[in-house]
Amino acid sequence: MKMAKRVSKDAKNNTIKNNLQKYSKLDQEEILKDFEIQQFGLKEAEVERQLEKCGANKLDPKRFNFPLVFFKCFFSPFNLILIIIDVYSFYNYIGAIAEEKDTFDLAGALIVLIMILLSGSITFLQELRSFFVIRKMTFDNKKTTHAIRDTDYDIKNIDNANSIKLIKEAKSIDSEDLVPGDLVYLSNGDLIPADIRIVWSNNLYLNQSSLTGESFPVQKKETNSNKEYLEFENICFTGTNVVSGSALGVVLSTAKYTYFSTINDKVTQKRPKSSFDKGIKKVTFLLIAFMLSVTPIVFLVFGLRPLEDNEKWLNAALFSISVAVGLTPEMLPIIITANLSRGYAKIKKQEVLVKNLNAVQNMGAIDILCTDKTGTITSGEIVLDKVLDLTGSKSEFVNHALYLNSYFQSGFQNPIDQAVLITDKLAKPNVEEYTKEWEVPFDFKRKILSVILTKNDEKEIFTKGAVEEVLAICNRVLINGKIENLTKDYIEKIKSKTKEMNTEGYRVVGIAHNHLEDEDIEEDLVFLGFATFFDEPKVTSKQIIKSLKSRGIETKVLTGDNEVITRAICKKVDFKITKLYTGKEIEEMSETQLARAVIDANVFVKLSPIHKSIIIKALKDQEHIVGFMGDGINDAPVLRESDVAISFIDASNIAQDAADIILVNDSLMVIETAVHEGRASLANILKYIKVTIASNFGNVLSVLVALFLTTVEPMQPIHLLLQNLLYDIVMFAFIFDKVDAKFTESPRPLRTKNIIWFTIINGPVSSIFDISTFLVLLFAFKSQVGVPFGMGVNKDTLPEHSVATFNASWFVVGLMTQTAVMQMYRTEKLPFIHSNASIQVNIATVFVCAMAIIVPYTPINQLVQMEQPPLVFMPVAIGFVLCYITLAQCVKMAYIRRFKEWL
């Protein structure tokens, strides 16, 4: 089924691209014939027919599947285990006769139930919150469009003469009512509502940066000479916008048949599981497998003991279930969610919107950050860099000429004019001294713009444009304040200088001037110099690339822009290019070549969205955790493909929709904060996972050995539950624990690597002291406790409080060792000397260790079926605790030497 859906989507994408290519080649009459209409401007019947055939011009809204999300949040594999155990606990309590009901059993069952509800609710609310964030950022299409319908004109070929008639007939309609074949009028500020074929234009310029990454507007006209569909000169794409000029165009496709919809399909389809999702799934199944494998062993060992007991197997079942409860790290969902929420809260302070809570840890896991160029590394805004005369020096007169041209021109307000007017890099003339006489507007054939101004009754012309075109209307040049003839040597020098600056990534504009006599003419001008413009890198781009490298994260640039501009930007931000590939080269590679190329190269240019997705997937296939930072419509599929997707508050809405993290301001340094918090969150999650599973493994070993040492169970279910609850207090405090700087220095994905070895090596350390405690109680304290060694003793013949005293004694040692050793395990350094825990952890540790003494040695023990251990046992218990933490530290150091890591 999945394969069929993928083939269907691929077929749809190919159909859309083939249609665009077909319509780009058709003339006006062929377009009418293809749509089976007689003239431009649909009749009402034709509109109805198309509307019935194609539907409204809107994409299906993304819906929130409440039942499915609710089920996933509350009935995860881990929660299912807790639910089964909790149902049994309630059943066991309700089924007990009145005198055997234990309120503590009920309290334990209620606590586990609260944990299930709390964990599920937090996850569900986070999913709900993310949905509403996405809904708020849905694609904001313009509500109305100027369409020409039901005219009395029988026009089959639109030209300059009849275009005015049609434009006057344009009526504002709801964009959702557009249908293929509609004739629409586009003008300054319009958002393109569908894929449109231009049939007539008047200096139409579109901003396509959200699709192509090109900062400068592109001209759209009636004909096309390009082969790449995103570069078709007579096709306007949904979601782009008109910067200036006007045009008439035919709607080719709407809604789910547009090029935009192919990107939207990618965004709304199920997203690949991230590194953290995969890690949590592996850890969850590892813990469940551990519990399910150990519990039957405990059941068999208990039941096969040579005891005369009619209810031996029933007791074995009850005891093994209590062990299963003890083995279940019921706090895991809470610990994970709480750690990620705390990381989110810290990131949020840096003006960052986190839509997906798991993205907090994914930020700490990434080892490669891929980024678009325009709007991410760069500001996406064109800035004036320098204004120079022909000698390469600054000149006030050249500055004035450039500024006056941009100030007085009234046509197309392009980014270059805006950059000139807002810059503080050039001296500005007093514009009040000038009066505008005339203007020769910019167009893409001439590629120059001139304004004729008068000052003190003297007429002057100020011109700027493409250097070669400006040179073509000049016959002189200004050198060191003197006007000389424009010789071949000067022309070669100017062209060489222009090429040099182009190679450095600058867009170069030529500036010319002349004093006019009678006619307003663009000829025989004086070439003054150059102005260079640049898509300026963000202030923090250089710093964040350097910072991420120091934290083990490699940056790769994936852009649709050309090689020259990209190399220049990389040079600006001190980004050393190791190797560079183009999108075309990527297409021609085999899987083996691609796998090597995506590792070797760190810059990829002239990429389509498909190319970017291919690169991301190739990196992920090699076990890399990949983040992607982008802001355009074309970046949305790539954002969905990555492990963690980063976008910006002013990005296209579809990019925001696909993002996990949205940066509210321009500073990229918040990424460093997010990386640090992600790694810190994982550290404290791993402390719980690794230490808890090792501790539980040690407890199981201790229980199994104890069953062979005596007929007395070392701990009753009520004691096991109480110990878990108190231990969880310490574990919850670790949400606020400090993290060693070394842990946050390199990428940290959540993986099950070495968890088994960590458990096998560190778990039995606690068993050594548990078994020592049993032996001391059975032999050295036999007279005070009353529990003898061996399995042949009938429990019914033991002194009245012997079992309760034995249980209480092990409770002291078991809880204190399990709690105190966390100070050793929380860091790979020497605790208290080289690494201190947070105050919350220290307080929780002292409190729980105190409770390990208070519960058995005070009247509280009656509430939990314990008896006070001998007072002389206390020094022994404390000695065991001190010896245990010392041995644990030594084993930890040996483990680190062997495995080169701790958590």
Side-chain angles (χ1 to χ4, degrees):
M1 181 63 73
K2 288 183 180 179
M3 180 62 74
K5 285 183 179 179
R6 187 157 54 248
V7 171
S8 175
K9 285 182 179 178
D10 289 343
K12 172 191 169 183
N13 295 351
N14 289 332
T15 300
I16 289 172
K17 292 173 184 176
N18 290 337
N19 279 341
L20 292 174
Q21 190 170 39
K22 179 184 76 172
Y23 283 115
S24 71
K25 297 176 181 177
L26 299 182
D27 61 28
Q28 294 191 31
E29 291 186 3
E30 289 171 331
I31 292 172
L32 292 175
K33 184 178 178 181
D34 191 82
F35 278 105
E36 298 179 356
I37 55 180
Q38 301 303 314
Q39 77 292 314
F40 286 108
L42 296 180
K43 301 297 184 183
E44 188 174 341
E46 292 170 328
V47 172
E48 292 297 328
R49 185 189 71 197
Q50 289 290 69
L51 194 60
E52 186 177 343
K53 179 182 176 182
C54 302
N57 182 29
K58 61 179 181 179
L59 295 171
D60 294 332
K62 186 175 181 181
R63 301 185 182 278
F64 188 76
N65 192 331
F66 280 89
L68 181 61
V69 175
F70 182 89
F71 184 84
K72 285 183 177 180
C73 293
F74 285 90
F75 296 95
S76 63
F78 198 81
N79 273 355
L80 281 174
I81 298 295
L82 291 177
I83 290 169
I84 292 169
I85 292 172
D86 212 34
V87 167
Y88 176 82
S89 299
F90 278 113
Y91 173 79
N92 195 46
Y93 175 80
I94 294 169
I97 59 176
E99 59 270 18
E100 292 183 0
K101 287 184 185 291
D102 194 323
T103 54
F104 202 89
D105 288 342
L106 177 62
L110 288 171
I111 288 170
V112 173
L113 177 61
I114 289 170
M115 288 178 175
I116 295 169
L117 294 175
L118 188 60
S119 170
S121 297
I122 291 173
T123 308
F124 182 76
L125 288 173
Q126 181 63 29
E127 291 283 346
L128 192 62
R129 176 182 170 279
S130 295
F131 168 73
F132 282 115
V133 169
I134 291 170
R135 228 175 111 174
K136 187 179 178 182
M137 299 175 178
T138 51
F139 182 69
D140 185 20
N141 206 342
K142 188 166 180 156
K143 296 185 181 297
T144 59
T145 301
H146 291 96
I148 296 114
R149 291 175 175 175
D150 277 323
T151 67
D152 295 329
Y153 308 121
D154 185 18
I155 296 177
K156 294 182 173 59
N157 199 303
I158 301 175
D159 54 29
N160 287 333
N162 58 33
S163 62
I164 302 299
K165 293 181 182 180
L166 292 171
I167 291 171
K168 286 182 178 180
E169 294 292 326
K171 298 289 189 296
S172 181
I173 68 168
D174 194 320
S175 295
E176 292 184 3
D177 294 334
L178 281 179
V179 295
D182 256 325
L183 182 67
V184 296
Y185 172 59
L186 305 172
S187 59
N188 188 26
D190 282 349
L191 189 71
I192 304 300
D195 287 352
I196 294 171
R197 161 67 153 84
I198 298 299
V199 291
W200 171 87
S201 68
N202 177 26
N203 287 324
L204 179 70
Y205 293 94
L206 260 60
N207 179 359
Q208 287 195 162
S209 61
S210 62
L211 279 179
T212 62
E214 171 57 55
S215 303
F216 287 88
V218 295
Q219 186 181 29
K220 295 293 180 177
K221 52 188 179 180
E222 298 87 345
T223 58
N224 171 58
S225 57
N226 291 332
K227 294 181 180 180
E228 291 291 330
Y229 59 90
L230 283 178
E231 297 176 3
F232 286 167
E233 297 166 297
N234 56 1
I235 301 291
C236 301
F237 294 95
T238 310
T240 58
N241 61 285
V242 179
V243 176
S244 71
S246 59
L248 290 169
V250 177
V251 174
L252 302 179
S253 49
T254 58
K256 60 183 179 181
Y257 302 106
T258 62
Y259 174 74
F260 175 85
S261 73
T262 66
I263 299 174
N264 188 68
D265 287 344
K266 183 73 175 176
V267 173
T268 54
Q269 72 184 37
K270 186 176 180 182
R271 186 172 180 176
K273 286 190 178 296
S274 69
S275 161
F276 186 67
D277 294 326
K278 293 175 182 176
I280 286 295
K281 185 177 180 181
K282 287 181 181 179
V283 168
T284 299
F285 281 108
L286 178 66
L287 294 174
I288 291 172
F290 173 64
M291 184 192 72
L292 294 179
S293 61
V294 167
T295 304
I297 296 173
V298 175
F299 173 74
L300 291 173
V301 170
F302 193 105
L304 292 173
R305 292 191 305 167
L307 297 176
E308 294 295 329
D309 188 348
N310 294 331
E311 297 183 342
K312 181 169 68 173
W313 288 104
L314 175 61
N315 291 333
L318 293 173
F319 187 74
S320 60
I321 288 172
S322 68
V323 169
V325 173
L327 287 175
T328 306
E330 66 281 349
M331 286 285 286
L332 180 60
I334 299 291
I335 293 292
I336 290 172
T337 304
N339 269 294
L340 296 181
S341 296
R342 188 165 184 266
Y344 161 71
K346 288 192 172 184
I347 296 170
K348 188 179 178 182
K349 291 178 182 177
Q350 304 292 320
E351 294 189 88
V352 176
L353 175 62
V354 180
K355 289 167 50 184
N356 176 9
L357 201 58
N358 288 355
V360 173
Q361 199 286 310
N362 283 328
M363 281 302 300
I366 59 172
D367 58 345
I368 294 176
L369 177 64
C370 296
T371 176
D372 189 23
K373 178 184 68 64
T374 305
T376 50
I377 292 178
T378 68
S379 63
E381 297 179 1
I382 305 303
V383 296
L384 175 66
D385 187 66
K386 295 173 185 174
V387 181
L388 306 169
D389 63 16
L390 201 55
T391 65
S393 304
K394 293 181 180 180
S395 166
E396 185 177 66
F397 182 64
V398 181
N399 287 349
H400 286 184
L402 175 64
Y403 188 85
L404 289 169
N405 177 281
S406 294
Y407 182 85
F408 282 103
Q409 75 92 17
S410 57
F412 167 37
Q413 277 288 332
N414 63 49
I416 285 179
D417 290 314
Q418 294 169 0
V420 171
L421 296 178
I422 66 173
T423 187
D424 57 0
K425 293 185 177 180
L426 54 79
K428 299 173 183 178
N430 182 3
V431 295
E432 300 296 330
E433 297 178 350
Y434 293 87
T435 303
K436 183 176 178 181
E437 298 290 336
W438 190 247
E439 175 177 347
V440 186
F442 179 89
D443 67 65
F444 264 69
K445 291 180 181 178
R446 296 169 52 255
K447 295 185 180 179
I448 53 178
L449 182 151
S450 298
V451 294
I452 293 89
L453 308 177
T454 300
K455 177 183 178 183
N456 299 329
D457 296 327
E458 187 174 346
K459 191 183 292 186
E460 299 175 65
I461 183 170
F462 298 89
T463 301
K464 75 170 184 297
V467 174
E468 289 198 15
E469 277 68 18
V470 172
L471 279 173
I473 58 173
C474 292
N475 65 353
R476 291 162 294 163
V477 63
L478 183 68
I479 297 289
N480 295 322
K482 295 180 180 180
I483 296 177
E484 299 181 13
N485 290 329
L486 183 61
T487 63
K488 286 185 179 180
D489 288 341
Y490 280 133
I491 291 174
E492 288 302 317
K493 184 177 180 181
I494 291 169
K495 288 182 177 180
S496 174
K497 183 66 175 177
T498 301
K499 185 178 179 180
E500 178 186 332
M501 290 188 288
N502 282 148
T503 304
E504 293 176 357
Y506 293 102
R507 182 160 295 210
V508 184
V509 169
I511 306 166
H513 168 264
N514 197 18
H515 291 274
L516 300 178
E517 296 297 332
D518 297 316
E519 297 184 12
D520 302 332
I521 55 174
E522 287 181 326
E523 60 183 47
D524 297 337
L525 305 186
V526 179
F527 190 89
L528 302 181
F530 313 93
T532 59
F533 297 84
F534 202 71
D535 185 4
E536 189 73 13
K538 290 181 178 177
V539 176
T540 53
S541 294
K542 184 187 297 187
Q543 188 179 354
I544 191 62
I545 291 171
K546 184 178 179 181
S547 175
L548 291 178
K549 186 176 181 181
S550 70
R551 289 179 171 271
I553 300 175
E554 182 183 0
T555 302
K556 293 182 185 287
V557 176
L558 278 58
T559 179
D561 220 332
N562 62 55
E563 179 177 343
V564 173
I565 296 295
T566 304
R567 283 188 179 276
I569 292 292
C570 291
K571 185 178 180 181
K572 275 268 186 179
V573 296
D574 293 343
F575 183 69
K576 186 177 180 181
I577 299 176
T578 55
K579 206 163 191 177
L580 182 147
Y581 289 108
T582 65
K584 188 175 181 181
E585 289 173 323
I586 292 294
E587 282 181 0
E588 296 169 352
M589 290 180 181
S590 66
E591 284 190 18
T592 304
Q593 290 171 325
L594 178 65
R596 185 181 182 93
V598 296
I599 299 298
D600 292 345
N602 61 353
V603 174
F604 301 84
V605 299
K606 298 295 287 182
L607 301 179
S608 70
I610 301 301
H611 294 144
K612 293 180 181 180
S613 292
I614 289 171
I615 293 168
I616 296 289
K617 188 176 183 304
L619 289 168
K620 289 174 66 176
D621 287 345
Q622 297 179 72
E623 301 299 317
H624 288 284
I625 315 300
V626 186
F628 182 78
M629 184 164 61
D631 67 341
I633 292 173
N634 61 328
D635 291 323
V638 201
L639 289 164
R640 294 286 294 181
E641 188 71 42
S642 61
D643 287 294
V644 58
I646 308 168
S647 194
F648 301 85
I649 198 67
D650 55 355
S652 64
N653 290 320
I654 195 170
Q656 292 180 340
D657 191 347
D660 299 309
I661 292 176
I662 297 175
L663 309 186
V664 176
N665 58 40
D666 284 340
S667 175
L668 298 177
M669 294 312 296
V670 295
I671 295 175
E672 182 181 33
T673 302
V675 167
H676 174 83
E677 293 304 329
R679 293 175 183 177
S681 296
L682 179 65
N684 289 331
I685 290 171
L686 284 176
K687 288 173 189 176
Y688 178 80
I689 292 173
K690 283 193 170 184
V691 175
T692 299
I693 193 172
S695 177
N696 288 348
F697 178 67
N699 286 341
V700 170
L701 282 179
S702 301
V703 167
L704 288 174
V705 173
L707 292 176
F708 287 100
L709 295 178
T710 179
T711 57
V712 174
E713 297 90 342
M715 193 173 288
Q716 305 304 315
I718 186 175
H719 305 148
L720 196 58
L721 179 60
L722 177 60
Q723 181 172 299
N724 274 355
L725 292 177
L726 290 170
Y727 176 69
D728 285 343
I729 293 174
V730 179
M731 289 294 97
F732 194 79
F734 270 89
I735 295 170
F736 307 96
D737 193 25
K738 299 174 184 177
V739 177
D740 292 339
K742 185 178 178 181
F743 190 93
T744 62
E745 286 176 355
S746 57
R748 295 285 181 170
L750 176 57
R751 289 174 178 158
T752 54
K753 178 187 175 184
N754 293 338
I755 285 185
I756 300 299
W757 282 113
F758 188 96
T759 302
I760 292 173
I761 293 172
N762 292 286
V765 176
S766 64
S767 298
I768 294 172
F769 295 93
D770 288 336
I771 295 166
S772 299
T773 301
F774 297 150
L775 294 174
V776 167
L777 290 171
L778 294 174
F779 291 102
F781 289 89
K782 181 179 178 180
S783 58
Q784 293 99 321
V785 176
V787 175
F789 175 78
M791 291 185 291
V793 180
N794 191 333
K795 286 194 293 185
D796 296 335
T797 64
L798 297 177
E800 182 180 356
H801 300 298
S802 59
V803 175
T805 306
F806 183 84
N807 294 156
S809 301
W810 189 43
F811 180 86
V812 174
V813 176
L815 183 57
M816 286 184 69
T817 52
Q818 193 175 23
T819 303
V821 80
M822 284 302 301
Q823 292 285 346
M824 309 295 117
Y825 285 164
R826 59 165 293 277
T827 175
E828 65 178 61
K829 298 180 179 180
L830 190 63
F832 308 114
I833 298 175
H834 298 141
S835 177
N836 290 315
S838 67
I839 188 169
Q840 292 92 334
V841 170
N842 289 331
I843 290 172
T845 302
V846 171
F847 171 75
V848 175
C849 285
M851 291 302 293
I853 299 171
I854 291 170
V855 171
Y857 282 96
T858 66
I860 297 175
N861 57 23
Q862 299 302 310
L863 299 175
V864 291
Q865 302 171 12
M866 289 185 191
E867 288 292 331
Q868 180 177 312
L871 287 174
V872 292
F873 177 71
M874 272 305 303
V876 176
I878 292 173
F880 278 151
V881 173
L882 295 175
C883 291
Y884 175 36
I885 60 177
T886 302
L887 180 59
Q889 177 66 22
C890 294
V891 171
K892 179 181 74 175
M893 293 167 64
Y895 179 94
I896 293 171
R897 278 198 295 270
R898 169 63 182 81
F899 293 96
K900 310 302 180 187
E901 69 171 20
W902 179 237
L903 294 175

